[in-house]
Amino acid sequence: MSLVELIQQNRVGKIASLFETVEPVDIAGAAADLDDEELSRFEEMLDDPSLAKVIEVSEDRDRMRMVDHLGNHRLLFVFRFMEKDDIVDILGDMTIGRRKALVDLMKSEDRRTITELLRYPEESAGGIMTTRYIALRSTMTATDALEKIRQIGPKTEQIETIYIVDENRRLIGAVDLRDILLAEADEPMAAFMHEHVISIAPEEDQEEAARLVTKYDLNAIPVVSSGRILGIITVDDIIDVIVEEHEEDMMQLAGANVEEDLDTPLTASIKMRLPWLIVNLLTAFLASSVVNLFEDTIAQVVALSAIMTIISGMGGNAGSQTMSIIIRALSKDGVDREEARAQLVKEIFGGAMNGLIIGAITALVVIVVYRNGFLGVIVVLAMVGNMVIGGVAGLLIPVLLKKLGKDPALASSIFLTTVTDTLGFFLLLGLAQAFLPLIR
Amino acid sequence: MSLVELIQQNRVGKIASLFETVEPVDIAGAAADLDDEELSRFEEMLDDPSLAKVIEVSEDRDRMRMVDHLGNHRLLFVFRFMEKDDIVDILGDMTIGRRKALVDLMKSEDRRTITELLRYPEESAGGIMTTRYIALRSTMTATDALEKIRQIGPKTEQIETIYIVDENRRLIGAVDLRDILLAEADEPMAAFMHEHVISIAPEEDQEEAARLVTKYDLNAIPVVSSGRILGIITVDDIIDVIVEEHEEDMMQLAGANVEEDLDTPLTASIKMRLPWLIVNLLTAFLASSVVNLFEDTIAQVVALSAIMTIISGMGGNAGSQTMSIIIRALSKDGVDREEARAQLVKEIFGGAMNGLIIGAITALVVIVVYRNGFLGVIVVLAMVGNMVIGGVAGLLIPVLLKKLGKDPALASSIFLTTVTDTLGFFLLLGLAQAFLPLIR
């Protein structure tokens, strides 16, 4: 029986027992398809812990819809069963008025933690950390530590790595639970503590946290400010960051809005797509105005209008190849000055070489079709030139964007095609105009 | 002192003590920059466990270089300290001759496991699983379980989730280590076992494993064949899969080779990029031949050569937006027939609407520049047509590729631009030819 049918027939027991056999994320998926009235009734039929679980695993938008249907008091009861970082996410997406009302209703201890967490931007390390982790003193014995882990364990997101702090909550090391299990009863934590703990500052970008966890194969990374541990980021949140950033990159490269999906209504979709199209239109005007400059030349050698799109397009293709390699290198270990210089030389020679090959093939076709050898020579020259330009621009644009503190994936592609279209047209048509008597 | 200097000065002790303060992955990074002779000496200076660690965390290419410098017997000793799945990866990248020689030299038990693992493709769930996990019987008491975990724990990659098997090694459930720690001494595993365990078949793609772990926030997923547990995939390997697939998508969309990076020599780079450029050249010829068909029309209205690149480009941009949304939807929950049909309607109306707006702006500029109202009308019609075409192609191409079992990210973009360039030129120039007397 579907979730809708269960709701319509008021089968409270059935819905409760759903949680034994169906994963919460799948229940959340079904709930996302309910209409407003059904959703309200569904939420009434769930107890607080179950509703908390469903809200936690829902997609951002569905989550806000579920929260909007709850009164402040019910929501506070539901919050009791949720992770602090998830509560902060939800509060962050609310209107300021409601957020303030909710925080004011909280117990003073919760209010302090939540207010603290709300200070960090949503996509920073502090914004995604959880405050539920295990931190012990280095003087604690293995037996005491195990007792403590038994108590706190069920409330924490991971128990394999136990953090060790001094009397001021300064992070001084970490211990593997395996070592505690193997230790003699009265051995202190200090005996098997690793002092070299990789950590991150709360204001750092979440992508940096993901990079560290990926590189060092961690199952959690502590968030540390002036030596004190504030929280940890667990690997499941890191995976969400990686997937999210991946989607953002893909969407941004294509000028699509991360928010748009199959459920987005037509009018919203039109509005989301229009701005990027207008930006592209402006760059298209720029390239087109170059063509306009050479109208007289084209009028005399109409073949140029067919050839010019090949030159501009191939420059763009060559540039995209370079750009994707550079964007990847930037996101991994960065690109230093010396590497950039070496790559520049490679792009110039590589672009020239591939330009010669691609240009020669194109020239051959042009000579066969238009029976003009000089036109072939001009095609080769323009192709070599534009493919070198593509390679160089594909290298420099993302490097410069990164240097300016921008996301290289965001705007690289539109700058690149502007360069290769405009200069591609200019090269071919300029050469054609200069040698007009030979190709007419 | 740098790693090279330590090697040159034969500072064995210093190198050994490096491992106390520097992360293995950073040592591996430094080792990657050594020349062949230095690398050989570096490997001689390390003991087997340290060398195993460095090899395990090296990038694929560096890893093979390190392995190539080792004799078969030393390598077998190093293998003792490595995970089976990593050994299989290394064997899989070797020449068949050396792989066979090594497997023949192994102890019969290892040989069986390794041969078993080598059967699975490198990018399948079976290919990335580890055989080091904890599986207990449901009748075992908490005390016995804890004793077992103490013993096996240090050899396993994760200890939070303990798998429960029956007498035939069939997977029947899972237990959280927290519950074992909290249990009464003589409680059997069955008392707090979850029966609903999400698992994956060994022949499934590694991307499916990543999707399940991401969706259900698992810290490991068991690999199960006809009910029996063969191994587990841990979350750090899942992160590697996600990052790898992400990079592949980005590189493939741009036609770059995943293997190419800043270290790739010039000639290798030229060879890697050329095939994609040639494929693009062929599609460029196709679009260009449409322009060639209408040479007479262009000769009479040269403005068309400037305008046609705007029409083709904007169709491509509109299509890319749709395509990235569809590719994301396909990789998440898939797109069913009904959703595809609804989206098709949206693309047609949305494309027409944005085409009208973008077309109107373009027409305005065209009318001002060329002082011809009819040309403006033709521009609007062609723009609406090509943006609808872009939206529809952006939807259908990835959906069809997926249906044919191909990766939608791989070849979508080149098909899309072929369609929008060719039909964009055809629309504008065809309309211009039909109404030539009005715009001349």
Side-chain angles (χ1 to χ4, degrees), chain A residues 21 23 25-26 59 146 149-150 153-154 156-160 177-178 181-182 196 198 213-217 235-236 238-240 242-243 246-247 249-251 253-256 258-264 266 270 273-274 276-278 280-281 284-285 288 291-292 295 298-299 302-303 305-310 314 317-318 320-322 324-326 328-329 332 335 339 343 346-347 349-350 353-354 357-358 361-362 365 369-370 387 425, chain B residues 21 23 25-26 59 146 149-150 153-154 156-160 177-178 181-182 196 198 213-217 235-236 238-240 242-243 246-247 249-251 253-256 258-264 266 270 273-274 276-278 280-281 284-285 288 291-292 295 298-299 302-303 305-310 314 317-318 320-322 324-326 328-329 332 335 339 343 346-347 349-350 353-354 357-358 361-362 365 369-370 387 425:
Chain A
T21 51
E23 293 289 327
V25 66
D26 294 323
E59 306 258 341
L146 214 50
I149 294 166
R150 269 198 197 95
T156 62
E157 288 194 37
Q158 66 92 26
I159 57 170
E160 281 201 30
L177 178 60
R178 294 172 181 80
L181 289 174
L182 278 173
H196 186 67
I198 290 161
V213 168
T214 306
K215 181 167 182 189
Y216 297 105
D217 281 351
V235 77
D236 55 315
I238 291 293
I239 290 187
D240 291 343
I242 295 174
V243 171
H246 173 190
E247 286 179 1
D249 280 358
M250 298 283 282
M251 303 294 267
L253 270 178
V258 198
E259 309 271 304
E260 181 173 351
D261 60 20
L262 300 185
D263 296 334
T264 308
L266 179 59
I270 292 173
R273 297 186 188 189
L274 196 54
W276 177 253
L277 292 172
I278 289 177
N280 271 281
L281 182 61
F285 280 151
S288 165
V291 178
N292 196 31
E295 269 198 353
I298 295 174
V302 185
S305 65
I307 300 168
M308 67 182 196
T309 62
I310 304 180
M314 293 311 295
N317 292 328
S320 298
Q321 291 182 321
T322 304
S324 64
I325 291 159
I326 301 302
R328 180 173 67 161
K332 274 188 145 172
V335 176
E339 285 171 324
Q343 189 67 24
K346 250 170 69 182
E347 291 301 335
F349 283 99
M353 193 62 218
N354 276 336
I357 299 170
I358 296 290
I361 303 174
T362 314
V365 174
V369 174
Y370 299 105
M387 282 181 64
F425 291 149
Chain B
T21 51
E23 292 288 328
V25 66
D26 293 323
E59 304 260 339
L146 214 49
I149 293 166
R150 268 196 199 99
T156 61
E157 288 194 38
Q158 68 90 28
I159 57 170
E160 282 201 28
L177 177 60
R178 294 173 181 79
L181 289 174
L182 279 171
H196 186 66
I198 291 162
V213 168
T214 307
K215 181 167 182 189
Y216 297 106
D217 281 348
V235 77
D236 55 315
I238 290 293
I239 289 187
D240 291 343
I242 295 173
V243 171
H246 174 189
E247 286 178 1
D249 280 359
M250 298 281 283
M251 303 292 268
L253 269 178
V258 199
E259 309 272 306
E260 181 173 350
D261 59 22
L262 299 186
D263 295 335
T264 308
L266 178 60
I270 291 173
R273 297 185 189 190
L274 196 56
W276 178 251
L277 292 173
I278 289 177
N280 271 280
L281 182 62
F285 281 151
S288 165
V291 179
N292 196 31
E295 269 197 354
I298 295 174
V302 185
S305 66
I307 301 169
M308 67 183 195
T309 62
I310 304 179
M314 293 311 294
N317 291 328
S320 297
Q321 291 182 320
T322 304
S324 63
I325 292 160
I326 301 302
R328 181 173 67 160
K332 274 187 143 171
V335 176
E339 285 170 323
Q343 190 66 24
K346 252 169 68 183
E347 291 301 336
F349 283 99
M353 194 60 219
N354 277 336
I357 299 170
I358 295 291
I361 302 174
T362 313
V365 175
V369 175
Y370 300 104
M387 283 182 63
F425 291 149

Side-chain angles (χ1 to χ4, degrees), chain A residues 345-379:
Chain A
V345 175
K346 250 170 69 182
E347 291 301 335
I348 292 171
F349 283 99
M353 193 62 218
N354 276 336
L356 263 180
I357 299 170
I358 296 290
I361 303 174
T362 314
L364 209 74
V365 174
V366 164
I367 291 170
V368 169
V369 174
Y370 299 105
R371 315 211 158 271
N372 186 325
F374 289 108
L375 197 54
V377 175
I378 286 176
V379 162

Side-chain angles (χ1 to χ4, degrees), chain A residues 137 165-170:
Chain A
R137 299 285 300 276
V165 292
D166 68 9
E167 61 278 12
N168 299 315
R169 279 201 94 67
R170 281 172 191 284

